[in-house]
Amino acid sequence: MAKRAVSVEALLRRKFAEMPFTGPWKDAFGIPARSGVWLIWGASGNGKTSFCLQLGKYLTKFGKVAYNTLEEGLSKSMQDAISRANMQQVKSRFILLDREPMGELEARIKRRRSPDIIIIDSLQYSGLTRNEYKRIKERFSNKLFIFISHAEGKQPEGRTAKFVRYDADVKVRVEGYKAFPTSRFGGGEPYVIWHEGAHNYWMDI
């Protein structure tokens, strides 16, 4: 049986791989771990895809990123979003997967030199159950998984998404071109996705 109990001193001596965020990213998310789970949710048309691409672009500073477009696929709308985010600037460290089924994605990330950070758009289209989510998280505990979710009001949509929200290290609600984070690593300031859009949206409320 694996040894589960550790002393306080042993835990405090343990070194965890971190991502040293700076600027607005640090203000929003603190200094997060390089592995774990994030959940991002919001209604359509509020800047969720733009935010996820901006985040994915920033995360290429810390590892190779794969974005699995389960929902949109390699569509014209995704092409436009990729162009707006200038993702060609990080093309050597960012790859797009065209609706890759979860079984094939698992096979991909088992390989050597596989992506360090996996963005899955969306959790609903992945078809994962709570148990399947837990198995993937535990099997690939050295990876960072970022799940994008549909919203139901101001909450993630569906039982699995609600479960992931409670389990995730970082939770991000997107509304009106702002991302509102709750992070176990500090931060907590809203991140502005698109300044003009955010200004117009929040002035109208």
Side-chain angles (χ1 to χ4, degrees), residues 166-180:
Y166 284 107
D167 188 59
D169 304 299
V170 176
K171 315 150 207 302
V172 188
R173 181 176 65 85
V174 174
E175 181 183 352
Y177 304 103
K178 285 187 178 183
F180 298 90

Side-chain angles (χ1 to χ4, degrees), residues 25 40 47-60 65-69 72 76-90 94-96 119 121 146 148 174 191 193:
W25 295 104
I40 300 165
K48 192 167 72 247
T49 299
S50 293
F51 170 69
C52 291
L53 288 173
Q54 289 177 28
L55 175 63
K57 185 177 182 179
Y58 187 71
L59 289 173
T60 61
V65 178
Y67 192 117
N68 194 4
T69 61
E72 286 191 63
K76 176 65 165 58
S77 61
M78 180 56 69
Q79 182 186 63
D80 291 344
I82 289 287
S83 178
R84 286 194 301 271
N86 293 317
M87 299 305 290
Q88 61 269 29
Q89 295 175 345
V90 294
F94 183 93
I95 60 170
L96 286 160
I119 302 172
D121 187 5
I146 300 175
I148 304 171
V174 174
Y191 175 88
I193 303 161

Side-chain angles (χ1 to χ4, degrees), residues 41-42 149-158 161-162 165-166 173:
W41 73 93
S149 173
H150 300 170
E152 188 173 34
K154 292 185 181 292
Q155 304 299 325
E157 179 187 281
K162 288 181 171 65
R165 181 192 175 194
Y166 284 107
R173 181 176 65 85

